[in-house]
Amino acid sequence: FFGESPVGVWLRESQVWFPLFEMLHLAALAVLLGSIVLLNARFFGMGLRRESVAEVADDLAPWTRLSLVVMAVSGFMLFCAKAPDLGGMDLPVFLTKMGLIVAGVGFHSAVQVPLARKGITGTGRLAAAASLLIWFGAAVVGLSLEFL
């Protein structure tokens, strides 16, 4: 359905817009992972020590949200263009990537931010390790789609 939509066909056939959406998606991924790494580094006591974990979480929240929105929009556009190619091994890998992203957003919102706001760093370190595994797992799985 999406692959045969006018948007999907237009992007798939474009030599300009598809790469631009892909670059936008990867730039947003870099911002997202950067904000996640900074918050997790603060939980581990590495860097940004002049600010509390809560302050770091609050300072990074707009960047995290913005990057997620940009990734969702650009990702949907890329999905429309690539939908016809998501057969065979690609579909389970794509679904794994999406599952990890949903898990990452849920974990960040339901676990990490509340721990940060309460200033809990002990459990926060364990949460930071889990967060890094989830997000970098999503990034690696997503990038692997390019090589299947």
Side-chain angles (χ1 to χ4, degrees), residues 9-72:
V9 172
W10 170 71
L11 272 176
R12 193 169 43 258
E13 293 176 355
S14 174
Q15 292 184 5
V16 173
W17 289 103
F18 182 86
L20 285 175
F21 274 103
E22 201 159 38
M23 288 183 343
L24 184 63
H25 194 69
L26 292 173
L29 174 64
V31 172
L32 174 66
L33 291 178
S35 69
I36 297 296
V37 166
L38 283 172
L39 178 60
N40 290 327
R42 182 61 188 93
F43 269 119
F44 286 124
M46 300 165 44
L48 302 172
R49 294 182 189 193
R50 292 183 182 161
E51 294 185 65
S52 70
V53 177
E55 290 171 320
V56 171
D58 288 342
D59 290 347
L60 293 173
W63 294 102
T64 304
R65 283 192 295 269
L66 176 64
S67 63
L68 283 169
V69 168
V70 171
M71 285 186 69

Side-chain angles (χ1 to χ4, degrees), residues 2-13 77 79-82:
F2 290 108
E4 299 309 318
S5 70
V7 171
V9 172
W10 170 71
L11 272 176
R12 193 169 43 258
E13 293 176 355
M77 298 296 281
F79 173 77
C80 286
K82 289 187 168 191

Side-chain angles (χ1 to χ4, degrees), residues 86-131:
L86 286 178
M89 287 296 295
D90 288 354
L91 184 58
V93 173
F94 176 76
L95 293 174
T96 301
K97 169 190 158 182
M98 296 311 295
L100 286 168
I101 290 170
V102 168
V105 170
F107 189 80
H108 182 78
S109 302
V111 177
Q112 277 199 293
V113 171
L115 287 174
R117 291 212 169 110
K118 292 177 184 174
I120 301 172
T121 56
T123 307
R125 288 186 183 109
L126 182 59
S131 170

